[in-house]
Amino acid sequence: MTQNILKLQDLHYTYPDGTHALKGLDMEIKRGQVTAILGGNGAGKSTLFHHLNGILKPSSGQVFFEGKPVDYSRKGLIRLRQSVGVVFQDPDNQLFSASVYQDVSFGAVNMKLPEDEVRRRVDVAMERTGISHLKNKPTHCLSFGQKKRVAIAGVLVMEPEVLVLDEPTAGLDPKGICEIMKLLKETQKELGLSIIISTHDIDIVPLYCDQVFVMDEGGIVLEGTPQEVFSEKKALRRVNLRLPRIGHLLEILKEKDGFNFKELPVTISGARKAMKIWRDERKS
Amino acid sequence: MINIDTYAYASQLKTIDPLQKFVFALITLGVCLWADTLVISLAVLFIMGWMTIRSGGTPISLFIKLMFVPMAFLVIGVLTIAINVLGNPQGFIVSLPIAGFWIGVSKVGMYEAGRLFFRVLGSVSCLYFLSLSTPMVDLLAVLRRLRVPKLIVEMMGLVYRFIFTLLETADIMLTAQNSRLGYRDLTTGYRSLGALVATLFIRAYKRSNDLFTSLEARGYDGDINVFEVPFEKSRKIYIVAIVVNTILVFVALTLK
């Protein structure tokens, strides 16, 4: 077992219309972590995601899953897609059935599992995503947040090793964002999944993610832990991103108002700790 | 628009095996049409209404409202039977002399009209029983079990699923056009509507591509294979179907 579950090497992809979306992208995704991919609109995040389970085949370069290059034959793709599950941004593009139960069962039935096993997995996935009470509801009567959960359950039912989510928090209200991220974090811990999310929501990154990649113009411009990445303020701003609000506040306090923090935390709890240290130092 | 499907989801009969409900509704419908007797038609209407309202929990007001849906056609159809034209006023209950003829309603005509009227309502009530207790998804499952070609059932399922999305998209676009005065006069209106339809088509096409991608990601291999929520195993409705229809047939035969 290699430490990297997915590895992308010098990946290039050009769309049929000539758009060069990925330009020599290198990336190593560690097993059992939550990895965030940050990037402005049009940075190539979705194109990258479509490479992770073989929907797109790179124009050049290679994708490795568990250390082995991806096999693009029919059988190879089926195996890959069982291991790498993708949840798409718009659940309306993913939910094809008017019945929640049917939609969730789809992936498991396709794996040709015995009926008992499918039903068990459907129950588990619905339980985990908190949608058991929606079993008998028609899909079109659900709220956006509920549809999102159904979409996640429909992928979890395949029990993948890697869960890829394209903008899982887009379009959700603050409580919905918090619930979805907690749900993902719990699932990741319990099942030992590797989770990859793309997002614009910078504030959630230091709270839920272990590793961050920043993309711009089809390549990786920054990578590291949230703390490492968010200390590269200039580089972040150059690619149309920003610091988490808390980080920004502390930066201003430090640079303009003479608070001499030793480091710049980017979460509320981190900021609280830094403030307390600052206060205690002043007292003594 | 009355959304029958929402009531079907709320029905307490929803958990019963849809095939049983389907068989029950169709057999009773058949008996109602075959018997062609006022008593039987009324009995069917009553039984189906009772089952939908009492066992299913559908509001009685809705059931009555739905019964009025075929009324316009029905009244016109029935009137042509009830009203006759004859050379003399004998046999008419009420009549009007017009240009040497008599137009009126006879006793026989009335009875015939009434019989037809309730025969139609009885039959319609069978179908309402089915559609008010069985959501579309379950009906599709019945079709699948009855070996209707997969392609047709899948298409029906997808159409049903995305008709709501399509209507929603159209509605949003219409509102957006309206708020920019897209329908201020007839010419502008036609142009806006044309743009809306064209965009809707392109959107639908793009969405179908996206759907295909996401199905692929979950191992789609050309067939949409899913499991349904398990239904109650009991054969209660079959027994009800047999008992009710035996009695109906027996009564019909003695009356004939």
Side-chain angles (χ1 to χ4, degrees):
Chain A
M1 219 155 79
T2 50
Q3 199 202 356
N4 298 326
I5 191 144
L6 275 165
K7 185 177 161 196
L8 312 176
Q9 205 171 50
D10 194 27
L11 214 61
H12 282 266
Y13 186 77
T14 310
Y15 280 100
D17 68 356
T19 315
H20 198 169
L22 296 182
K23 299 168 184 168
L25 182 135
D26 288 298
M27 187 184 251
E28 287 178 15
I29 295 191
K30 294 203 178 70
R31 190 185 293 277
Q33 288 198 336
V34 178
T35 305
I37 316 257
L38 284 173
N41 294 336
K45 299 190 298 288
S46 294
T47 313
L48 166 66
F49 276 17
H50 286 178
H51 280 86
L52 296 180
N53 75 342
I55 292 166
L56 292 179
K57 194 177 172 183
S59 311
S60 73
Q62 263 186 320
V63 180
F64 295 89
F65 177 68
E66 306 217 292
K68 283 183 229 92
V70 166
D71 166 14
Y72 286 92
S73 70
R74 231 180 86 78
K75 273 196 180 147
L77 281 180
I78 289 173
R79 266 202 307 276
L80 179 70
R81 286 171 186 167
Q82 284 178 11
S83 312
V84 182
V86 180
V87 179
F88 292 85
Q89 188 180 345
D90 184 355
D92 270 325
N93 285 342
Q94 185 172 332
L95 307 179
F96 66 88
S97 171
S99 146
V100 169
Y101 191 94
Q102 285 187 8
D103 202 284
V104 174
S105 74
F106 178 70
V109 175
N110 285 336
M111 289 169 75
K112 314 269 182 256
L113 298 166
E115 176 163 348
D116 290 349
E117 175 65 7
V118 173
R119 293 208 186 274
R120 187 192 68 79
R121 284 189 181 198
V122 171
D123 289 340
V124 170
M126 291 179 74
E127 188 70 38
R128 194 176 283 289
T129 47
I131 53 165
S132 298
H133 62 294
L134 303 174
K135 188 152 77 176
N136 286 320
K137 286 262 161 59
T139 319
H140 51 266
C141 288
L142 305 183
S143 73
F144 187 81
Q146 289 172 331
K147 282 184 193 168
K148 200 100 199 180
R149 284 162 183 267
V150 175
I152 295 175
V155 173
L156 280 181
V157 87
M158 300 172 78
E159 299 190 349
E161 289 165 64
V162 186
L163 189 61
V164 180
L165 302 104
D166 197 356
E167 306 256 357
T169 59
L172 294 176
D173 58 22
K175 190 163 170 248
I177 292 178
C178 183
E179 282 173 0
I180 285 278
M181 289 313 295
K182 273 193 189 140
L183 160 81
L184 291 177
K185 195 79 191 171
E186 273 164 25
T187 313
Q188 184 252 329
K189 270 191 203 142
E190 280 168 35
L191 305 180
L193 280 177
S194 314
I195 292 183
I196 306 171
I197 63 168
S198 76
T199 185
H200 291 134
D201 193 345
I202 290 167
D203 293 308
I204 63 166
V205 172
L207 289 175
Y208 300 102
C209 304
D210 307 305
Q211 194 75 14
V212 186
F213 290 90
V214 178
M215 276 186 84
D216 188 48
E217 296 193 357
I220 301 291
V221 289
L222 281 174
E223 64 173 278
T225 62
Q227 193 68 44
E228 287 165 8
V229 167
F230 290 125
S231 61
E232 304 282 335
K233 286 158 281 190
K234 279 198 188 121
L236 273 177
R237 285 178 183 136
R238 212 165 33 234
V239 298
N240 301 332
L241 294 174
R242 59 166 174 83
L243 287 184
R245 296 287 183 207
I246 297 288
H248 195 189
L249 172 68
L250 267 71
E251 184 198 1
I252 293 172
L253 287 176
K254 184 180 179 182
E255 286 174 7
K256 298 202 172 148
D257 301 330
F259 286 73
N260 49 344
F261 300 125
K262 288 199 181 59
E263 51 182 335
L264 282 180
V266 282
T267 59
I268 289 180
S269 64
R272 198 171 154 212
K273 211 183 279 166
M275 295 265 209
K276 276 184 182 163
I277 293 173
W278 180 80
R279 181 193 63 191
D280 295 343
E281 276 176 1
R282 295 258 306 199
K283 270 187 199 157
S284 56
Chain B
M1 199 180 98
I2 311 165
N3 195 346
I4 295 183
D5 224 40
T6 19
Y7 288 97
Y9 276 104
S11 173
Q12 281 148 34
L13 298 171
K14 190 206 169 278
T15 48
I16 293 173
D17 183 358
L19 185 62
Q20 293 188 32
K21 287 182 281 190
F22 185 75
V23 168
F24 176 51
L26 279 198
I27 290 181
T28 317
L29 175 68
V31 169
C32 178
L33 289 175
W34 162 81
D36 195 9
T37 322
L38 193 60
V39 181
I40 298 294
S41 302
L42 281 171
V44 168
L45 180 59
F46 179 75
I47 291 166
M48 287 305 182
W50 178 268
M51 291 201 53
T52 312
I53 294 156
R54 289 309 300 267
S55 314
T58 305
I60 187 161
S61 55
L62 177 83
F63 192 77
I64 292 171
K65 213 159 137 197
L66 284 174
M67 276 301 172
F68 275 97
V69 172
M71 216 45 99
F73 307 98
L74 191 54
V75 167
I76 294 169
V78 164
L79 277 182
T80 56
I81 291 175
I83 297 172
N84 290 304
V85 182
L86 284 177
N88 56 56
Q90 276 145 21
F92 281 140
I93 306 170
V94 247
S95 58
L96 258 177
I98 290 176
F101 290 102
W102 297 83
I103 296 181
V105 181
S106 69
K107 219 171 184 179
V108 184
M110 274 282 274
Y111 179 72
E112 281 292 311
R115 211 175 62 175
L116 179 72
F117 184 78
F118 284 105
R119 191 182 177 201
V120 170
L121 285 192
S123 316
V124 168
S125 73
C126 294
L127 297 178
Y128 278 146
F129 161 76
L130 185 64
S131 47
L132 283 170
S133 66
T134 320
M136 193 63 186
V137 181
D138 295 351
L139 280 179
L140 291 178
V142 170
L143 294 183
R144 208 172 292 136
R145 271 156 77 182
L146 293 175
R147 313 273 153 150
V148 173
K150 242 184 171 166
L151 184 71
I152 295 172
V153 182
E154 278 177 15
M155 288 266 278
M156 287 172 73
L158 288 175
V159 166
Y160 177 72
R161 161 75 181 90
F162 285 103
I163 216 155
F164 297 97
T165 321
L166 191 80
L167 286 178
E168 202 184 293
T169 317
D171 195 50
I172 291 169
M173 288 191 331
L174 191 73
T175 313
Q177 285 182 326
N178 242 330
S179 62
R180 286 178 290 161
L181 305 179
Y183 295 90
R184 62 180 302 171
D185 54 47
L186 201 62
T187 354
T188 328
Y190 273 126
R191 205 182 309 130
S192 302
L193 192 65
L196 187 144
V197 172
T199 316
L200 206 57
F201 181 77
I202 296 166
R203 286 260 181 99
Y205 179 73
K206 197 181 164 317
R207 195 179 273 277
S208 72
N209 265 337
D210 289 344
L211 180 71
F212 181 71
T213 309
S214 71
L215 286 180
E216 282 254 282
R218 289 200 281 164
Y220 176 64
D221 59 356
D223 279 330
I224 296 181
N225 300 311
V226 288
F227 282 162
E228 281 119 26
V229 185
F231 290 100
E232 280 172 24
K233 284 270 184 284
S234 90
R235 303 197 170 274
K236 215 162 54 192
I237 297 285
Y238 279 146
I239 297 165
V240 172
I242 293 166
V243 172
V244 164
N245 284 297
T246 319
I247 294 172
L248 286 178
V249 169
F250 189 71
V251 173
L253 286 177
T254 37
L255 282 177
K256 273 193 175 177

